[in-house]
Amino acid sequence: MRKWLNLDSEEWAGILRSGFGASLIDVAEGAETSRVTIFRAGPFRIAYPEFPVGATQYPRSLTNAIVRAARDHCVDMLRFHSCGSVQAESHVTALDLGTHVIPDVQAWDVSGIEKARRSRNRANRTPLAIERAVAHDAPEMYALYLQTLSRRGGSKRYTLPYFRALAGANSSLIARLDGRVCGFVSFAYQGLRACYLHGAHDASTRRYYASDLLFYEMISMAKAHGAKVFDFLPSPPDQPSLAHYKSAWGAVAGPFVVSDIDVRPLRAGFFRAAKRMAALLASAR
């Protein structure tokens, strides 16, 4: 059976290149290494080490090496994700977005978690078929992603080519009803850490509990895969119901700190101003 997607792999690097036109650089400082993904945002270049999940921590020496490499590649701003604020020679602006994690997936017991127990029972009588996604499922997955954005609000960050590459990389499960996709989840691994990446469902089929069945299958697979931790990653701060939903699966709150370093301060300031203006225009529509 083909392995699930590894976020440290060349396959993931290829998804980022084909899905966003991103470029990637490898940085080493002594025994420490980092893979930095550089995205274009209009005229700006924004870079993320270990996109999208970051690392538990970044040693100061490695952070400084990443800043130097970013400067050499004309990056305007670096954004680190870790369990605490990074330390560097440069000024760091940090914010804890928070995440929800199942700290020991191997001890995750369905019988002791009401939502998981109900989902296991529903799985035995549902009309939905839970399947591994393939590339030709991507248009329906992308349509559900856009539908969710329209329903909940938010910026469109992901592209159809990205979803096509993701679906073809053994990283997603779909729920199918009468031949059409009515829900999906995407996830991947970083060592012994399983990470939830995306999910959406068709609101008109909510009575079939597609999301619950998909989450149940996803976490069960992470356990079978040998994962130690399941990380749901941050929820938008204006959508507390998502955090409550993750808690219902046995997850507990944990740190997820975003640390920004302005590599080229003037251009980074222009980038933030452009983002604020875009958000104001979007809210006025």
Side-chain angles (χ1 to χ4, degrees):
M1 183 181 294
R2 187 182 173 194
K3 292 183 178 180
W4 294 97
L5 180 64
N6 178 355
L7 293 172
D8 295 323
S9 67
E10 286 302 317
E11 184 174 31
W12 174 244
I15 290 172
L16 296 176
R17 293 188 187 102
S18 63
F20 302 103
S23 58
L24 292 92
I25 57 174
D26 292 318
V27 179
E29 181 67 18
E32 302 288 344
T33 62
S34 175
R35 173 164 286 179
V36 181
T37 304
I38 303 172
F39 296 96
R40 287 188 175 274
F44 306 105
R45 289 186 177 187
I46 313 301
Y48 296 75
E50 282 65 59
F51 181 84
V53 300
T56 303
Q57 62 179 0
Y58 287 92
R60 183 184 178 94
S61 58
L62 178 60
T63 302
N64 290 332
I66 292 171
V67 173
R68 291 193 296 271
R71 190 173 292 119
D72 291 342
H73 286 79
C74 299
V75 167
D76 299 310
M77 190 183 83
L78 274 163
R79 174 158 287 184
F80 293 81
H81 295 154
S82 59
C83 290
S85 175
V86 301
Q87 304 297 313
E89 294 172 359
S90 308
H91 175 71
V92 178
T93 302
L95 175 66
D96 187 358
L97 296 181
T99 184
H100 281 77
V101 300
I102 299 173
D104 186 355
V105 181
Q106 295 307 307
W108 188 70
D109 183 5
V110 172
S111 62
I113 302 169
E114 183 179 4
K115 182 170 281 294
R117 187 173 64 251
R118 288 184 175 183
S119 297
R120 180 182 60 186
N121 293 338
R122 286 193 183 99
N124 296 323
R125 58 179 188 272
T126 181
L128 302 180
I130 306 299
E131 307 169 358
R132 295 187 185 212
V134 294
H136 71 246
D137 295 315
E140 289 180 279
M141 293 167 61
Y142 184 62
L144 290 174
Y145 162 69
L146 294 179
Q147 182 188 116
T148 300
L149 284 183
S150 176
R151 192 168 64 245
R152 292 181 174 171
S155 302
K156 186 177 75 171
R157 295 191 175 101
Y158 299 97
T159 66
L160 177 56
Y162 166 78
F163 273 103
R164 185 172 287 115
L166 191 67
N170 207 38
S171 66
S172 303
L173 296 171
I174 58 171
R176 196 180 295 279
L177 178 67
D178 297 330
R180 67 183 183 89
V181 176
C182 64
F184 78 91
V185 290
S186 298
F187 57 103
Y189 295 86
Q190 185 190 59
L192 295 178
R193 178 189 183 195
C195 299
Y196 166 66
L197 299 179
H198 312 289
H201 69 271
D202 184 343
S204 69
T205 61
R206 186 176 290 133
R207 67 185 182 278
Y208 296 111
Y209 294 93
S211 289
D212 285 4
L213 293 171
L214 287 164
F215 270 71
Y216 168 71
E217 189 68 20
M218 173 177 63
I219 299 169
S220 298
M221 284 184 167
K223 182 176 181 177
H225 188 82
K228 171 64 177 174
V229 173
F230 191 96
D231 196 333
F232 286 95
L233 299 181
S235 302
D238 60 343
Q239 297 180 29
S241 61
L242 293 181
H244 295 321
Y245 184 78
K246 295 169 182 179
S247 296
W249 291 98
V252 296
F256 191 94
V257 179
V258 174
S259 300
D260 288 346
I261 294 178
D262 292 352
V263 182
R264 299 200 287 180
L266 184 61
R267 288 182 58 82
F270 285 144
F271 169 70
R272 282 191 291 272
K275 280 194 69 177
R276 287 194 295 269
M277 180 60 70
L280 284 171
L281 291 174
S283 64
R285 289 173 185 166

